[in-house]
Amino acid sequence: MSESPCDHDSPMWTPCNEDVNSLLCRSFPGDASYRELREEHLAPEAPVHIHAPQVFKNANLVHVISVEKNYVKESINVVIENIDKAAQDEYFIPFTADQVSRLGGVEVKDRKDATAGPFTAEVAEFDPTSDTQYLRIQLPTPLKSGAQQTLGINYYLLKAYKPLPAAIAQDEPQFLAYSFSAYAPSVYTTSKQKTEVKFPSTSIPDYTKLPGSGDIKEFPQKQGSKLTYGPFDEKPAGAVEPVEVRFEFTKPVTHISLLERDIEVSHWGGNVAFEERYTLYHRGANLSALFNRVKWSQSQYYNPNTYAIKELKFPLKVGSADAYYTDVIGNVSTSRFRSNKREALLEIKPRYPIFGGWKYPFTIGWNSDAKNFLRKLSGGGYVLNVPFLEGPKQVEGVEYEQALIRVVLPEGAENVKYYTTIPPSSISEVEVQTHKTFLDTIGRPAIVFKARNLVDDFRDRELVVTYDYPLSATLRKPLIVFASMMALFVSAWALGSVDLKFSSK
Amino acid sequence: MAKSRNNRDVAPSAAATTQASVTSTSSTANITAPAATTTTAKSSKAAAKSSWDQMVLNIANHYTKSTPQRTKLLDAFMAFLVVVGALQFLYCILAGNYPFNAFLSGFSATVGQFVLTASLRIQTTEANKSDFPAVSPERAFADFVVCSLILHFFCVNFIN
Amino acid sequence: MSANSLQVLAAAGKGESTRTALRVIILCLIAAAAVSSRLFSVIRFESIIHEFDPWFNFRATKYLVANGFYKFWDWFDDRTWHPLGRVTGGTLYPGLMVTSGVIYHALRALTIPVDIRNICVLLAPAFSGLTAFAAYLLTNEMTTSNSAGLLAAAFMGIAPGYISRSVAGSYDNEAIAIFLLVFTFYLWIKALKLGSMLWGALCALFYGYMVASWGGYAFITCLLPLHALVLICMGRYSTRLYVAYCTWYALGTLASMQIPFVGFLPVKTSEHMPALGLFGFLQLLAFLDYVRSALPSRQYQTFLWLFAGGTFGLGLAGLVIATSAGIIAPWGGRFYSLWDTSYAKIHIPIIASVSEHQPTAWPAFFFDLNFLIWLFPAGVYLCFQQLADEHVFIVVYALFGSYFAGVMVRLMLTLTPVVCVAAAIAISTVLDTYLDARSPDPENAKAEEAVEGATKKASKSGLKSTTKPLVGIYSYVSKGVVVTAMTLYLLLFVLHCTWVTSNAYSSPSVVLASKLADGSQHIIDDYREAYQWLRQNTKDDAKIMSWWDYGYQIGGMADRPTLVDNNTWNNTHIATVGKAMSSSEEVSYPIMRQHEVDYVLVVFGALLGYSGDDINKFLWMVRIAEGIWPDEVKEREFFTPRGEYRVDDQASETMKNSLMYKMSYYNYNSLFPPGQAQDRVRQVRLPEVGPTLNVLDEAFTSENWIIRIYKVKDLDNLGRDHASAAAFDRGLKKKRAAKKRAPRVLRVE
């Protein structure tokens, strides 16, 4: 087994390293930066002391890593078995601190029992100084001793890739590298496992090769755009086998570091206004030479496939209207908005093509009739049902490092409650603030959701807000405007009738 | 310029002294008159001394006869302003105008106040009544106060 | 509106309060028309700040709103004029920014949060409504006819001469200054008429506001003394004049000195001396006036002569000494160019290079004022007929304003108000005379059906004439003809104004619009594309070198430090940039290194046929640079031996080697088949071999090539190149360049 020679030293990958390096050196002779980058990338994956109690065993595990989009989607389907005497209800998965900061959208389900619903999964920190942190999965019913359960664990890792080479010419294809462990991360002994990696295309120039086992000579096996490491036999808890793959990804690596999404409900206008402010980065390969317009306009004709961001498409909810697209210096004219009975599609073109390392913040917004989202309950309250996240829908995917979703309710709304289908672990904070704007006296209640590490797979998740809106609050605004106008007229009249003349003296 | 200032000095200072001794107006006028005469006579070469005497005397007479008490108070104030202004100017010439904005705001305060007072004086004079149909003396005084406030606000602001 | 309802209106109109209400409504309508006619650009494009200077004002306003008034006052801006910086707080007219800041905070306090950009964009139209109102007040002081005031307000509201500077988005000092100008004049007339200190003080306050807002305040500073002087010369000295003028001057001068940028100028420069002189003169006059009332006339005469002679001699001597000792500064360059139009061309290229400072072409008068321009003399003539103090003012203003408008294009702005007032007086007189409705005449109704706007005016004049029967025109035919003609002219005027506003004055110039073949509008947004790129993808303190025209825009939109900008306070610095642009790379590179330039930005219109590009402005750069370094930059060398300014293969060597030429045409011919490169601005075919650049890298070129940005190479790579001998070096580079170009040509094919 290839693991045994590697296991002696603390940088357990040293023996394998030569192998990998020679492989990479072939493709990039003399590229020293690549080696450095690789080392830095792999180093944190050293085995560590495990805090979690050894109460489970992974009977069978399939780890699927999808690098098809510009974020990594991993799903671990595992049959767990309680090897302890007592019934257990907490299952742990280890991550490095770095991974935890980029981890998002964790959802755990019972593969056999769809009704069991998503299990609670949260990051549990045993030792803040340690590099290893754990995801604690709470089983809804404790697993009896010796019993088995099939878990389906899905999560996403953002900012997962390094472009390799880090700088390319503007018409070259882009390659990304991703490193991971061939063995699924686990704090328990794993009897049987395999790791599948799905790629966006069949162009995978480099990947770490491991000696095979059983009837397979060498891992991984390549089938089209898929690599399979394993099946491996029993591995101890915390076993790690660093692996790196490098694949072509001539698509933008769109990264949104901050999305601010405002949803403003107006009962008077019968309108729901959306505004989204994006801070967009391209995390792909930088330009090796400066931007060349001639080449760019030529490639537009001959080879439109590029890793630069040329266009973003926002499929909005049907009935959206008055879309706009601006940035910090005003309206951007290169957008198209099509709204009809079937669809409402906003297509925007940034002012300039966005290459790797470039940044482009922008704002879009639109309105929609309130009746598309808002319903009055029979009990007198209102219920607002909006998508938690909209944002661009791109083939290559979009990742959101931070999202700030703010739902502004009409002034005077009370008894505000919410419900969302976004994984709870993605939402870091929810608070109700007061937002003061046009002609407000006491301000409007606004629920602010702070979410992190989201991806565009969550586009369809709902956000439901219910609130009461008494009649007095409805009438507040016109009354106040009327009263202040009256006060103005009265004071003007009073001032006008004051006699300022001295002649009467 | 210097001469004009000098000349204007004459009338108000005469006024000031007259005010001091109301009972013996004519005598004080006589006392100041020669002094004024000598100053003007020095600068004007060709003028006959007697006609100057006569002129100044006429002015003084006219002034004492037709000026009401309140107006004289104003005149005294104006004379004071002229003296202060002259002193400031003198200081500026002798000691330099280093904090120029300080000098300027001080000087403009005196000049501005002088002009405003002159305006008030003009507006309150009975003889000018026909020129100002819309301005009653009370109104004039109110205007004067407002303008002076503005003036001094600017001066204080400018002095830093 | 039917004639019937009009009669009802007329019956109701007899009441004074109804008339006032009607007047208020008409004024509101006029203000609404004035505002809405300025919104073309917002509707057609977007709510955007226009042109160049407004971008600075906008940036300053944002700074004011963000940092508060005191920090704004002491603002030292190290992001302009690198490496010198600019004491911005002390070198600008803060009135505009403070006005928007106050409006912004006032609206906030009223819980109406409006984006500061929208306030800035809409400030000029809002103030144009106020200007119309001020014109109404001013005209009402001139004539007893109410219709004249309303007409003047309407003219003022839509006259293209004023619209040119006050469309939505043209957030410049003139936006509020014209209102202040007209209103100050109104207050002056009011003060003069009433002889009231309070009105004088108000006049001074608004004068102070005007000084805080626009450099054109000197116009008031010169016009009011001139008016006073003319009155005195006409023997119309009165105590009212004394009160009004002295109050205005004493308070106004102090108020103007509060602005740091103006500071001591009112007592030091010659522009302000007439006002000061007249102030002194008025003191003398007042004194003399008093003496006259005290002396018999014979004595007074001798006194007067001696006194006047002495004072004049002393005053003149004082002035001469003061000027020669340098206490009073000589007149500024811009001021000289007002007297001698060719002065600037010879001595100050930087002033002459601005198109606004050119003398006005004759058609411009008609273009900007339409039929008002020929009614204007008629109005002035009517003023001559009455010739009260306030009419003298209009006459003086008319003469003064016409002269300056003829000398400098942008001073058309100061002429517009008086033209509107005078034309309104003329028209209202004509209409009052010809619409003498002693019996209800059909023309009246006919004219009224034509336009709604004219209707109200006509009905007004009709009302007027019932109270004031005239010895006038008895033939209905002549009445009809004249009234119809006038109505037609008014209609045409409205049409003309709309047309001019929509076609000539509503382009933001940051965004260019073009029509596609199918008639739809296509927006060319290269400026913002490039500025946004700079803003997002360069270091925060990357210094940008460009010609000064774009300085404010780079500061406002790209938010990057610039070397020079539209505040052309340092001619040498501008000349340095001009020199860098017009010299060869070997000379320019050290200059750019010295000034820590990171990027160089040029505007290039050849691909699109955009004529306002840097190659067309290039001669000004050369001239300005030549002014400082006559030995190194010579304008003559940029022309062909036959004296032509060319960019094709006939271009002179100096031209071809200049950095500007190279940056403009670098890589341009690779867009075309070999030998076909075409310059669509200058309509020439470019040389087959394009220029090579050694010290710069092309960093960004916008979609239509209007903006090209180059990155200055680091010194390390080029140390040896500069060290080696220039001639040998050039030969080497040429060879290398030739090698480099070969594959590129191949690839195109």
Side-chain angles (χ1 to χ4, degrees):
Chain A
M1 188 47 230
S2 67
E3 178 203 89
S4 41
C6 301
D7 243 348
H8 300 140
D9 254 309
S10 66
M12 54 176 280
W13 40 270
T14 7
C16 322
N17 195 19
E18 278 168 20
D19 173 9
V20 174
N21 267 344
S22 61
L23 181 142
L24 289 164
C25 284
R26 231 181 300 129
S27 48
F28 297 103
D31 191 346
S33 66
Y34 173 55
R35 191 175 306 179
E36 278 166 29
L37 190 137
R38 220 189 89 79
E39 284 169 8
E40 154 213 306
H41 211 64
L42 291 185
E45 306 224 1
V48 273
H49 180 62
I50 292 164
H51 300 269
Q54 294 291 315
V55 293
F56 284 108
K57 184 181 96 171
N58 298 328
N60 191 4
L61 188 149
V62 179
H63 187 190
V64 181
I65 299 172
S66 161
V67 294
E68 290 158 310
K69 301 210 169 173
N70 60 28
Y71 45 83
V72 175
K73 179 183 180 182
E74 299 199 9
S75 54
I76 299 174
N77 292 320
V78 58
V79 180
I80 57 170
E81 187 182 328
N82 187 351
I83 52 171
D84 201 43
K85 290 188 184 67
Q88 294 293 334
D89 64 348
E90 282 186 341
Y91 181 84
F92 291 90
I93 301 179
F95 286 101
T96 64
D98 172 52
Q99 278 175 326
V100 164
S101 71
R102 299 183 284 113
L103 180 74
V106 184
E107 282 181 300
V108 184
K109 284 181 192 138
D110 190 327
R111 297 285 290 180
K112 295 276 164 59
D113 181 11
T115 58
F119 301 169
T120 315
E122 59 191 5
V123 173
E125 200 175 70
F126 283 92
D127 177 5
T129 58
S130 156
D131 190 43
T132 311
Q133 299 192 1
Y134 299 92
L135 188 71
R136 177 172 52 207
I137 296 164
Q138 193 80 38
L139 305 178
T141 48
L143 197 59
K144 288 191 200 79
S145 178
Q148 285 194 335
Q149 188 170 18
T150 312
L151 294 182
I153 304 159
N154 282 317
Y155 58 87
Y156 298 87
L157 283 172
L158 277 69
K159 298 201 271 185
Y161 310 126
K162 286 276 190 281
L164 255 184
I168 54 176
Q170 77 190 36
D171 47 2
E172 276 176 358
Q174 173 183 250
F175 291 92
L176 299 178
Y178 178 57
S179 43
F180 54 95
S181 164
Y183 309 146
S186 181
V187 292
Y188 309 108
T189 310
T190 308
S191 313
K192 194 179 161 202
Q193 64 170 306
K194 71 174 178 181
T195 298
E196 287 175 7
V197 192
K198 288 182 184 163
F199 292 94
S201 71
T202 52
S203 167
I204 313 160
D206 304 302
Y207 42 85
T208 312
K209 293 187 175 115
L210 299 175
S213 72
D215 48 351
I216 302 164
K217 282 209 184 81
E218 191 188 48
F219 292 139
Q221 288 171 289
K222 191 174 176 207
Q223 298 148 310
S225 62
K226 194 168 104 177
L227 292 183
T228 312
Y229 287 92
F232 301 107
D233 45 18
E234 180 164 305
K235 295 285 175 266
V240 171
E241 176 61 61
V243 160
E244 185 167 75
V245 292
R246 180 170 164 270
F247 55 98
E248 181 179 342
F249 193 87
T250 312
K251 280 180 254 178
V253 188
T254 317
H255 174 81
I256 288 157
S257 62
L258 176 64
L259 162 68
E260 290 170 89
R261 175 172 156 90
D262 288 357
I263 301 161
E264 198 163 335
V265 183
S266 160
H267 280 234
W268 275 100
N271 185 45
V272 181
F274 295 83
E275 182 169 285
E276 299 186 330
R277 292 176 292 280
Y278 292 87
T279 310
L280 183 148
Y281 287 90
H282 189 309
R283 285 183 46 84
N286 290 3
L287 282 177
S288 55
L290 292 163
F291 176 64
N292 186 324
R293 174 63 68 175
V294 180
K295 265 198 203 168
W296 173 252
S297 38
Q298 281 166 358
S299 73
Q300 289 299 292
Y301 289 107
Y302 305 129
N303 180 21
N305 192 20
T306 173
Y307 65 101
I309 304 175
K310 287 194 294 188
E311 193 177 33
L312 295 168
K313 289 196 173 89
F314 297 78
L316 306 175
K317 290 283 173 199
V318 176
S320 304
D322 320 328
Y324 57 88
Y325 165 39
T326 61
D327 61 18
V328 67
I329 52 175
N331 180 49
V332 188
S333 53
T334 44
S335 65
R336 266 195 306 160
F337 182 59
R338 210 168 43 226
S339 182
N340 52 35
K341 281 193 183 110
R342 275 170 288 113
E343 57 164 1
L345 181 67
L346 174 65
E347 296 173 348
I348 64 168
K349 276 195 184 121
R351 292 190 188 272
Y352 46 86
I354 300 159
F355 285 93
W358 288 12
K359 177 187 165 196
Y360 185 73
F362 64 93
T363 301
I364 57 167
W366 63 93
N367 286 323
S368 186
D369 210 329
K371 68 175 189 290
N372 294 336
F373 298 105
L374 196 65
R375 253 179 310 147
K376 196 171 167 46
L377 294 177
S378 51
Y382 287 88
V383 54
L384 175 79
N385 186 344
V386 288
F388 189 84
L389 193 69
E390 281 177 275
K393 189 167 190 174
Q394 303 286 97
V395 189
E396 68 276 4
V398 179
E399 59 182 30
Y400 303 86
E401 189 173 346
Q402 269 191 29
L404 211 70
I405 285 102
R406 194 163 66 154
V407 183
V408 182
L409 299 173
E411 189 177 23
E414 47 196 34
N415 197 14
V416 181
K417 294 189 188 109
Y418 75 94
Y419 162 79
T420 174
T421 49
I422 282 277
S425 62
S426 293
I427 295 179
S428 52
E429 206 181 319
V430 182
E431 60 176 331
V432 177
Q433 296 174 339
T434 329
H435 176 71
K436 265 199 160 184
T437 176
F438 291 97
L439 301 173
D440 284 349
T441 36
I442 51 168
R444 313 177 180 199
I447 326 178
V448 182
F449 298 86
K450 277 187 193 157
R452 46 190 278 274
N453 297 340
L454 296 177
V455 297
D456 62 350
D457 280 1
F458 295 125
R459 285 193 85 238
D460 303 327
R461 301 300 171 95
E462 316 186 299
L463 171 62
V464 179
V465 178
T466 60
Y467 58 92
D468 291 339
Y469 189 52
L471 187 70
S472 61
T474 324
L475 292 177
R476 173 196 294 274
K477 190 157 289 178
L479 280 178
I480 281 177
V481 171
F482 180 71
S484 44
M485 290 304 273
M486 282 310 288
L488 195 73
F489 282 132
V490 166
S491 54
W493 174 78
L495 272 180
S497 53
V498 169
D499 195 3
L500 282 172
K501 289 192 182 116
F502 289 86
S503 51
S504 53
K505 264 200 262 181
Chain B
M1 282 311 256
K3 190 186 160 197
S4 78
R5 180 164 285 120
N6 205 357
N7 261 330
R8 250 187 288 129
D9 265 1
V10 176
S13 64
T17 32
T18 5
Q19 199 131 29
S21 52
V22 189
T23 41
S24 58
T25 39
S26 62
S27 66
T28 33
N30 277 336
I31 292 165
T32 45
T37 319
T38 45
T39 48
T40 34
K42 262 179 217 163
S43 49
S44 59
K45 294 162 205 162
K49 203 166 188 175
S50 61
S51 82
W52 272 110
D53 273 350
Q54 198 58 43
M55 252 187 266
V56 176
L57 208 65
N58 276 349
I59 295 172
N61 278 338
H62 176 80
Y63 179 79
T64 42
K65 254 184 253 162
S66 61
T67 314
Q69 208 45 241
R70 273 198 224 165
T71 314
K72 283 180 181 161
L73 202 69
L74 284 182
D75 287 339
F77 182 50
M78 281 161 68
F80 165 74
L81 286 174
V82 167
V83 170
V84 171
L87 281 178
Q88 277 174 332
F89 201 75
L90 207 66
Y91 177 84
C92 164
I93 288 172
L94 294 179
N97 58 3
Y98 163 57
F100 190 49
N101 47 358
F103 161 70
L104 210 57
S105 61
F107 192 64
S108 5
T110 36
V111 171
Q113 196 63 63
F114 175 82
V115 172
L116 290 177
T117 320
S119 301
L120 178 65
R121 189 188 185 286
I122 288 173
Q123 288 186 338
T124 47
T125 308
E126 280 302 316
N128 294 330
K129 201 73 205 164
S130 59
D131 268 353
F132 303 100
V135 184
S136 65
E138 291 84 2
R139 165 73 192 267
F141 188 70
D143 284 3
F144 172 73
V145 170
V146 171
C147 292
S148 305
L149 283 177
I150 296 172
L151 175 81
H152 289 289
F153 167 75
F154 280 143
C155 286
V156 169
N157 194 27
F158 192 58
I159 230 170
N160 282 330
Chain C
M1 209 186 272
S2 70
N4 201 7
S5 67
L6 252 175
Q7 274 165 2
V8 177
L9 252 181
K14 280 181 183 131
E16 183 58 37
S17 61
T18 324
R19 263 193 246 176
T20 314
L22 209 59
R23 227 171 285 151
V24 168
I25 291 168
I26 293 173
L27 276 176
C28 288
L29 285 176
I30 288 172
V35 171
S36 53
S37 70
R38 284 163 169 80
L39 298 182
F40 274 113
S41 63
V42 170
I43 293 160
R44 220 173 273 164
F45 296 96
E46 58 183 284
S47 161
I48 187 186
I49 305 289
H50 290 194
E51 305 208 312
F52 305 106
D53 286 20
W55 276 101
F56 167 75
N57 298 328
F58 179 48
R59 178 161 163 257
T61 311
K62 280 200 286 189
Y63 185 89
L64 169 69
V65 167
N67 295 299
F69 185 70
Y70 288 101
K71 274 192 128 176
F72 177 68
W73 212 245
D74 301 329
W75 184 22
F76 178 79
D77 189 359
D78 56 353
R79 292 177 75 79
T80 50
W81 294 93
H82 183 84
L84 307 170
R86 173 181 172 195
V87 194
T88 314
T91 56
L92 49 58
Y93 292 105
L96 183 70
M97 297 96 194
V98 173
T99 308
S100 341
V102 166
I103 294 176
Y104 175 78
H105 287 298
L107 286 178
R108 286 256 129 157
L110 290 172
T111 68
I112 306 177
V114 180
D115 187 19
I116 185 72
R117 178 172 51 91
N118 288 328
I119 291 176
C120 293
V121 166
L122 295 178
L123 190 75
F127 265 82
S128 74
L130 289 177
T131 314
F133 180 62
Y136 168 78
L137 291 176
L138 181 63
T139 318
N140 269 0
E141 292 301 315
M142 301 297 153
T143 158
T144 47
S145 162
N146 276 318
S147 57
L150 292 174
L151 274 174
F155 291 159
M156 196 67 223
I158 57 172
Y162 176 39
I163 284 189
S164 66
R165 287 323 190 99
S166 63
V167 289
S170 106
Y171 179 57
D172 212 343
N173 293 330
E174 289 92 329
I176 61 171
I178 295 304
F179 161 68
L180 294 173
L181 184 83
V182 179
F183 202 67
T184 311
F185 286 155
Y186 161 69
L187 290 170
W188 162 247
I189 296 293
K190 198 82 185 165
L192 184 63
K193 268 185 158 178
L194 295 178
S196 152
M197 273 189 272
L198 190 68
W199 285 99
L202 274 179
C203 180
L205 285 182
F206 271 86
Y207 171 72
Y209 190 9
M210 172 79 182
V211 176
S213 307
W214 193 36
Y217 74 89
F219 189 71
I220 302 183
T221 323
C222 295
L223 192 60
L224 295 195
L226 189 66
H227 179 213
L229 187 70
V230 169
L231 285 180
I232 293 166
C233 292
M234 289 169 76
R236 286 173 178 235
Y237 167 78
S238 68
T239 44
R240 276 172 304 168
L241 179 65
Y242 177 85
V243 172
Y245 186 84
C246 290
T247 318
W248 167 73
Y249 183 77
L251 293 183
T253 308
L254 263 177
S256 67
M257 287 194 295
Q258 312 291 314
I259 313 301
F261 189 33
V262 177
F264 302 133
L265 291 183
V267 292
K268 282 194 159 171
T269 56
S270 307
E271 285 101 311
H272 299 82
M273 282 304 128
L276 178 61
L278 201 80
F279 178 68
F281 187 52
L282 270 178
Q283 307 306 321
L284 296 185
L285 273 184
F287 178 62
L288 287 177
D289 199 42
Y290 178 74
V291 170
R292 187 173 56 180
S293 68
L295 284 182
S297 64
R298 168 61 62 76
Q299 277 184 352
Y300 177 69
Q301 290 249 317
T302 36
F303 178 81
L304 183 67
W305 281 117
L306 288 171
F307 186 76
T311 318
F312 181 75
L314 273 177
L316 195 70
L319 196 68
V320 167
I321 291 168
T323 313
S324 58
I327 300 174
I328 300 174
W331 301 48
R334 258 170 238 226
F335 214 74
Y336 274 125
S337 62
L338 281 182
W339 304 113
D340 177 4
T341 45
S342 57
Y343 176 86
K345 218 173 244 173
I346 302 163
H347 300 281
I348 325 163
I350 197 143
I351 291 179
S353 73
V354 180
S355 60
E356 312 183 314
H357 294 158
Q358 307 293 337
T360 318
W362 284 111
F365 281 101
F366 187 74
F367 186 74
D368 276 354
L369 299 166
N370 196 258
F371 86 129
L372 301 182
I373 197 67
W374 52 259
L375 281 172
F376 169 51
V380 174
Y381 171 73
L382 286 171
C383 285
F384 260 114
Q385 279 199 320
Q386 302 183 17
L387 216 62
D389 290 355
E390 58 269 24
H391 298 109
V392 174
F393 178 75
I394 290 294
V395 173
V396 170
Y397 182 7
L399 291 175
F400 210 57
S402 312
Y403 175 73
F404 285 127
V407 169
M408 231 189 228
V409 172
R410 75 160 167 180
L411 290 183
M412 181 74 84
L413 203 54
T414 52
L415 176 68
T416 309
V418 72
V419 170
C420 290
V421 170
I425 293 173
I427 288 203
S428 80
T429 313
V430 169
L431 286 180
D432 279 356
T433 316
Y434 282 87
L435 277 177
D436 185 2
R438 193 172 301 163
S439 53
D441 56 346
E443 285 80 9
N444 199 349
K446 207 182 276 173
E448 284 151 11
E449 274 167 18
V451 220
E452 203 186 332
T455 309
K456 280 162 193 154
K457 288 152 205 158
S459 76
K460 190 121 296 262
S461 351
L463 297 168
K464 188 93 259 143
S465 48
T466 51
T467 58
K468 196 172 86 182
L470 278 172
V471 195
I473 323 300
Y474 289 97
S475 154
Y476 284 134
V477 178
S478 59
K479 277 187 194 178
V481 168
V482 171
V483 170
T484 319
M486 275 299 155
T487 317
L488 217 65
Y489 282 132
L490 285 171
L491 272 175
L492 275 178
F493 178 63
V494 172
L495 277 181
H496 174 84
C497 291
T498 320
W499 180 81
V500 168
T501 311
S502 123
N503 285 297
Y505 293 137
S506 291
S507 163
S509 94
V510 176
V511 185
L512 310 168
S514 70
K515 283 248 158 50
L516 290 181
D518 60 347
S520 65
Q521 194 187 32
H522 180 240
I523 286 176
I524 295 164
D525 213 353
D526 279 38
Y527 279 99
R528 285 194 290 176
E529 179 189 347
Y531 292 144
Q532 178 74 338
W533 182 84
L534 272 178
R535 188 183 186 119
Q536 303 302 343
N537 299 309
T538 57
K539 293 201 304 291
D540 189 47
D541 60 345
K543 282 93 191 164
I544 317 290
M545 181 172 95
S546 72
W547 190 233
W548 60 264
D549 294 23
Y550 315 106
Y552 278 164
Q553 288 186 348
I554 294 173
M557 286 193 261
D559 192 24
R560 291 289 172 274
T562 51
L563 257 64
V564 290
D565 63 30
N566 312 40
N567 177 269
T568 50
W569 65 275
N570 188 330
N571 191 32
T572 315
H573 213 53
I574 290 181
T576 309
V577 172
K579 186 185 172 192
M581 295 286 194
S582 52
S583 308
S584 63
E585 287 184 74
E586 291 78 16
V587 180
S588 308
Y589 188 70
I591 299 178
M592 294 192 283
R593 295 296 310 182
Q594 262 170 19
H595 291 85
E596 300 172 306
V597 175
D598 294 292
Y599 293 90
V600 187
L601 182 147
V602 290
V603 174
F604 174 64
L607 182 67
L608 208 66
Y610 172 64
S611 61
D613 70 350
D614 275 350
I615 289 284
N616 276 1
K617 292 175 184 167
F618 189 36
L619 280 182
W620 288 113
M621 306 182 201
V622 173
R623 273 174 211 155
I624 291 168
E626 191 181 8
I628 307 283
W629 293 280
D631 300 333
E632 295 172 64
V633 185
K634 294 192 186 70
E635 186 182 347
R636 184 67 198 83
E637 291 174 359
F638 289 85
F639 291 102
T640 59
R642 282 165 55 196
E644 291 165 307
Y645 179 67
R646 305 185 72 143
V647 294
D648 52 6
D649 32 358
Q650 307 284 310
S652 71
E653 268 316 300
T654 320
M655 179 76 188
K656 279 185 177 168
N657 282 326
S658 67
L659 196 68
M660 174 55 73
Y661 182 88
K662 287 186 168 184
M663 285 194 294
S664 290
Y665 293 108
Y666 178 69
N667 224 353
Y668 181 58
N669 49 2
S670 61
L671 266 187
F672 298 86
Q676 302 282 308
Q678 182 85 17
D679 184 327
R680 293 192 182 125
V681 176
R682 289 152 284 269
Q683 300 298 345
V684 290
R685 182 169 292 182
L686 293 168
E688 194 163 338
V689 180
T692 51
L693 269 175
N694 299 314
V695 298
L696 300 172
D697 278 328
E698 182 184 358
F700 187 83
T701 298
S702 65
E703 193 182 351
N704 300 298
W705 289 61
I706 289 184
I707 305 264
R708 307 198 68 186
I709 299 170
Y710 290 86
K711 189 174 178 22
V712 180
K713 282 185 187 163
D714 280 339
L715 194 58
D716 316 307
N717 301 344
L718 279 139
R720 55 197 146 81
D721 281 359
H722 286 289
S724 52
F728 171 76
D729 194 36
R730 197 173 299 148
L732 200 79
K733 270 177 201 160
K734 262 186 191 154
K735 238 181 271 167
R736 211 187 302 151
K739 248 185 262 163
K740 232 188 261 169
R741 205 172 302 105
R744 193 185 300 141
V745 175
L746 278 176
R747 198 180 305 159
V748 170
E749 287 169 343

